[in-house]
Amino acid sequence: EQLFVGDQVLRVVASSEEQIALLRALGEQVELQVDFWRDPTKPGRPADLRVPFSRLQAVKIFLESHGISYSIMIEDVQQLLDEEKRTMMLSRR
Amino acid sequence: MERRANQFNFASYHTLEEIYDWMDTLVADHPNLVSKIQIGESYEKRPLYVLKFSTGGSNRPAVWLDTGIHSREWVTQATGVWTANKLAEDYGHDPTVTSLLDTVDIFFEIVTNPDGYAFTHSSNRLWRKTRSINAGSSCIGVDPNRNWDAGFGDAGSSSNPCSETYHGPYAHSESEVKSIVDFIKSHGNVKALISIHSYSQMLMFPYGYKRTPAPDHEELNELAKKAVSDLAAVYGTKYTYGSIADTIYLAAGTTVDWAYENGVKYSYTFELRDTGRYGFLLPSSQIIPTATETWPALLDILVHVQQHPY
């Protein structure tokens, strides 16, 4: 079972087409293992990306160095997954 | 223990087995309206089931609905279950649904990517693609919404098997996709296709693989406008709408483009809700609100199809 402990989902808002292109390039970097939940589309529209815990620092530095604003949408993905499992178990009982 | 379809907990997420069991219960409860057909097998040999809603007739005009082609979008399969039940329960009670099903057949594939869905329950909750093996790569799976023969391999899809938008080795390489293609082509009278995703709150139509407006752009756009307006009237959830290329970006090889190019005029894709806090991990408490607000929008499209034969 794949665990997502410490993985975060970042909500990123690109302010220009240039920043959108940078985000797409970020997604192409296989070693960063970024998983776009909501793709970058247009300036001003949010994009959401899940970032593994081990790559968080690198991705945040990338965003900050290019002046791309972001917030943390999900602090710890695994916590939400655990909660979802609990809810399903309760429902089944 | 005998169960009835309406005793199922629609406000919870369910495994593939539970959903498949529930389908049988729905068929048993509504034998004159609902039947279950198998249109093929997944890569891992799971059956691909479709619920057929029909009150008779021969090869009536039909609507194709699918949910869950991206397996991690759990609110879509859950919405599919709720919606199928709603159709069955409302027939004979709600005049709109009754009139609709008296003239139109509905084919509903609730778990369009069963291998992926089972994998989200057993191994990786965030799995999106199919589970087919890619020759020459250790990465598994193809994005089934980039695998259709409509601009296949162009912009917005990836040739890298490790990418979430990998288009696959060739168009319709995925049995989950090919089975739908074969079914719709052999049916020959499908007038609408609605493919349901999550979670960007959008209602979109062709084209995705090119920026050229579809010949029916104006009509599709007007209908989308009405549908999102009626959706918003339920809980105020705001949707954007338009062609895929205008609303998100160029995306080649999608379901709705293939359908449109193969004569299905009313081809739409929904991106159901999230409030922006949970993404694919939307709490189960939001299943019924999501399905409830989607219903009037779906009905708008279905009724339009019924009233605008072509």
Side-chain angles (χ1 to χ4, degrees):
Chain A
E1 181 178 10
Q2 184 164 347
L3 300 176
F4 297 87
V5 179
D7 288 14
Q8 292 188 344
V9 180
L10 306 181
R11 169 148 289 195
V12 180
V13 182
S15 60
S16 64
E17 291 290 348
E18 201 174 35
Q19 289 192 344
I20 286 171
L22 283 167
L23 285 174
R24 290 193 180 136
L26 181 74
E28 291 296 308
Q29 294 183 44
V30 177
E31 69 278 7
L32 289 178
Q33 298 170 31
V34 167
D35 171 18
F36 276 101
W37 282 17
R38 188 199 297 246
D39 290 289
T41 54
K42 289 175 182 164
R45 285 217 185 131
D48 298 332
L49 50 154
R50 181 182 61 80
V51 186
F53 178 69
S54 61
R55 304 295 195 278
L56 266 177
Q57 198 179 8
V59 170
K60 286 179 178 175
I61 287 170
F62 177 92
L63 296 173
E64 285 161 17
S65 66
H66 289 97
I68 303 173
S69 67
Y70 71 90
S71 57
I72 298 171
M73 179 175 139
I74 297 176
E75 281 275 350
D76 184 339
V77 173
Q78 191 58 47
Q79 275 184 14
L80 273 184
L81 294 178
D82 293 343
E83 182 60 34
E84 189 178 67
K85 267 190 180 169
R86 262 196 300 276
T87 312
M88 283 183 73
M89 289 285 275
L90 277 173
S91 166
R92 213 161 288 154
R93 273 185 211 154
Chain B
M1 188 170 67
E2 190 178 335
R3 291 183 300 179
R4 293 185 67 81
N6 60 10
Q7 289 172 341
F8 186 82
N9 184 0
F10 295 99
S12 177
Y13 292 116
H14 295 275
T15 62
L16 182 68
E17 291 71 26
E18 288 167 347
I19 292 176
Y20 278 4
D21 284 350
W22 170 80
M23 285 182 186
D24 291 336
T25 318
L26 186 75
V27 171
D29 282 357
H30 304 274
N32 297 322
L33 176 66
V34 191
S35 55
K36 186 180 82 174
I37 54 180
Q38 186 178 344
I39 62 164
E41 277 185 344
S42 67
Y43 180 81
E44 292 176 338
K45 306 292 178 202
R46 291 183 175 86
L48 300 171
Y49 289 135
V50 172
L51 292 175
K52 178 181 180 182
F53 294 78
S54 179
T55 54
S58 173
N59 204 37
R60 279 178 172 170
V63 174
W64 173 273
L65 301 174
D66 65 75
T67 49
I69 197 168
H70 286 151
S71 47
R72 65 189 179 182
E73 297 166 7
W74 275 16
V75 76
T76 70
Q77 295 94 345
T79 294
V81 168
W82 185 94
T83 304
N85 187 64
K86 177 82 173 157
L87 279 168
E89 294 282 312
D90 278 7
Y91 180 73
H93 301 285
D94 177 276
T96 306
V97 173
T98 306
S99 162
L100 178 74
L101 287 171
D102 278 341
T103 51
V104 171
D105 289 348
I106 294 178
F107 294 92
F108 203 154
E109 187 172 8
I110 290 176
V111 189
T112 308
N113 176 6
D115 295 349
Y117 192 62
F119 198 67
T120 63
H121 282 272
S122 65
S123 305
N124 181 345
R125 169 66 182 83
L126 298 173
W127 192 259
R128 163 187 168 105
K129 301 189 283 184
T130 61
R131 291 296 299 163
S132 55
I133 288 170
N134 295 308
S137 172
S138 58
C139 291
I140 300 275
V142 166
D143 181 347
N145 198 32
R146 298 289 185 279
N147 189 238
W148 301 73
D149 191 13
F152 177 80
D154 289 347
S157 64
S158 175
S159 56
N160 178 358
C162 299
S163 165
E164 295 286 6
T165 53
Y166 175 50
H167 49 57
Y170 54 89
H172 308 166
S173 60
E174 304 310 285
S175 61
E176 296 82 355
V177 171
K178 180 73 163 46
S179 300
I180 300 173
V181 167
D182 290 346
F183 177 79
I184 290 178
K185 279 188 164 178
S186 69
H187 184 282
N189 204 17
V190 174
K191 300 297 187 185
L193 176 146
I194 304 171
S195 185
I196 299 181
H197 292 247
S198 69
Y199 73 104
S200 304
Q201 297 179 189
M202 296 167 171
L203 177 54
M204 296 177 289
F205 50 83
Y207 291 108
Y209 79 92
K210 57 184 176 184
R211 294 207 183 276
T212 320
D216 302 295
H217 181 95
E218 206 171 316
E219 184 183 0
L220 295 171
N221 201 56
E222 281 304 306
L223 180 54
K225 184 178 176 184
K226 176 174 169 39
V228 302
S229 165
D230 289 343
L231 185 155
V234 182
Y235 295 114
T237 308
K238 287 193 169 60
Y239 270 48
T240 52
Y241 62 94
S243 76
I244 295 171
D246 287 346
T247 310
I248 48 170
Y249 51 81
L250 284 169
T254 64
T255 316
V256 290
D257 277 1
W258 174 84
Y260 190 75
E261 292 208 323
N262 282 271
V264 182
K265 178 178 173 184
Y266 299 108
S267 294
Y268 285 96
T269 178
F270 272 94
E271 286 276 352
L272 302 186
R273 71 147 85 169
D274 179 34
T275 52
R277 297 184 60 185
Y278 300 103
F280 303 121
L281 308 177
L282 195 66
S284 55
S285 58
Q286 290 197 37
I287 293 171
I288 291 177
T290 303
T292 305
E293 71 184 5
T294 307
W295 174 250
L298 267 178
L299 213 49
D300 280 341
I301 298 172
L302 297 175
V303 168
H304 187 90
V305 173
Q306 182 196 19
Q307 293 176 349
H308 295 79
Y310 65 94

